[in-house]
Amino acid sequence: MTSLPPLNALRAFDAAGRHLNFQAAADEMGVTQGAVAQQVRLLEAHLGIPLFERLPKGLAFTAAGRGYHARVTTAFADLRSATNILKPEPGKVLVSVTPTFAAKWLIPNLPEFSATHPEIDLRILATEKVSSFHGDGIDLAVRQAQPPFGAAIDAIRLFRQDIVAVASPQLVEGLYLPIGAATLSHLPKLHDAHDLWPRFLKAVNTEDRSGHGLHLSQTALAIDAALSGQGVALVSKFLAARDISLGNLVQVSAEGLSGNQDFYLLAQRQSKRSPATEVVLQWFLAKAGPDA
């Protein structure tokens, strides 16, 4: 009888095959890249055949590796399904969102959800990584992207990417709002990973005369910097709506931008959704309202 490979080696192969990248697999598993690579080498040694081609920027399946990965992935899915049958968690819903969406929209709205649906154990996975329904066990995801998202996924637009320029009232104190392009050009700019300022300034027919500004890795950090008076940030309007309504931020320019990456709520097809997941999905849609 052929002995089974070590479970850790199979797990590493499963993750590496889904990402075709050892580092991404390591991030998912919470181990080092070297540990994943070592486990895959152990599996290849156990089987006596290579499963991946090592490329300069990732991995590619060998013919044998591709077929084996499909079977291994199915086996892990069967194990998860069998475990869920024995130990179901009917009230648990895991939602994958970006850190900015979590901090600036979801968390401020969660008290209302918890008060209305105390029977649901809503769990938030805040990550820039694209989570997998199959591999990561998520029930819903909110992503800023462009369709299509795959035949097995229901994608519902929550918010359009309507970009506005915002700042603290203190930064623009004494200025008549909305300010013109000339005034905007001299205000300090807050940049995030989306790098929208060049496009915005071109749209209002001006250039940046304020210097280099502050560069941040996430939109949430740019909003926080704007709140503390460090400059003007470009953000999707719905992310700043709460702070604008509270008077913590003001929209400084009448002009805006329409992006091509709206915010979508992603779910598995309805037949695969639990009743609790459906409740959470409908809550998201109700909160998004006419912006969807």
Side-chain angles (χ1 to χ4, degrees):
M1 180 182 294
T2 302
S3 62
L4 289 174
L7 180 59
N8 282 341
L10 288 172
R11 289 183 62 235
F13 173 60
D14 174 49
R18 283 187 281 105
H19 296 285
L20 291 178
N21 184 283
F22 283 148
Q23 184 59 62
D27 292 341
E28 175 185 318
M29 297 178 67
V31 298
T32 66
Q33 178 179 344
V36 173
Q38 181 182 21
Q39 289 295 330
V40 171
R41 285 196 299 270
L42 288 173
L43 179 60
E44 290 174 322
H46 181 93
L47 298 172
I49 55 173
L51 300 171
F52 293 118
E53 295 179 18
R54 275 68 168 175
L55 305 176
K57 293 186 177 180
L59 303 168
F61 282 118
T62 63
R66 182 178 292 104
Y68 190 53
H69 187 266
R71 300 292 295 271
V72 168
T73 299
T74 299
F76 274 120
D78 289 342
L79 286 171
R80 292 189 193 95
S81 178
T83 303
N84 288 336
I85 291 172
L86 290 175
K87 190 179 179 181
E89 295 182 86
K92 178 182 75 69
V93 179
L94 179 61
V95 184
S96 173
V97 297
T98 63
T100 291
F101 188 90
K104 299 304 176 184
W105 190 87
L106 183 53
I107 290 176
N109 283 299
L110 279 184
E112 174 193 313
F113 177 85
S114 299
T116 308
H117 302 286
E119 76 285 0
I120 294 180
D121 178 14
L122 187 61
R123 303 182 185 184
I124 310 303
L125 176 62
T127 176
E128 298 288 358
K129 180 175 73 74
V130 177
S131 301
S132 164
F133 288 94
H134 192 68
D136 299 311
I138 64 170
D139 300 294
L140 297 169
V142 177
R143 282 291 174 264
Q144 185 180 359
Q146 287 180 291
F149 296 99
I153 299 297
D154 283 335
I156 309 159
R157 184 168 58 197
L158 289 178
F159 299 102
R160 298 180 188 275
Q161 189 190 14
D162 294 327
I163 306 298
V164 295
V166 297
S168 72
Q170 291 74 26
L171 184 72
V172 294
E173 187 174 6
L175 299 177
Y176 180 78
L177 297 180
I179 61 175
T183 302
L184 177 64
S185 70
H186 288 92
L187 291 176
K189 312 295 187 299
L190 300 169
H191 305 264
D192 63 19
H194 297 288
D195 193 28
L196 293 168
W197 272 114
R199 185 179 159 207
F200 190 92
L201 293 172
K202 183 178 180 180
V204 298
N205 196 29
T206 189
E207 58 186 31
D208 186 12
R209 298 182 176 89
S210 65
H212 294 296
L214 181 62
H215 292 258
L216 302 141
S217 62
Q218 294 180 358
T219 303
L221 299 177
I223 295 175
D224 289 342
L227 286 166
S228 65
Q230 297 182 58
V232 183
L234 292 178
V235 301
S236 292
K237 190 171 184 178
F238 82 93
L239 292 173
R242 183 170 179 269
D243 282 310
I244 291 174
S245 68
L246 294 173
N248 300 325
L249 291 174
V250 291
Q251 183 175 338
V252 301
S253 174
E255 290 81 4
L257 285 177
S258 294
N260 56 6
Q261 289 194 327
D262 296 332
F263 291 77
Y264 286 86
L265 179 63
L266 308 181
Q268 297 185 89
R269 291 296 188 190
Q270 190 168 14
S271 61
K272 295 185 176 182
R273 296 200 291 262
S274 70
T277 298
E278 188 65 27
V279 168
V280 177
L281 183 149
Q282 294 301 326
W283 176 78
F284 268 102
L285 298 185
K287 290 300 296 181
D291 288 323

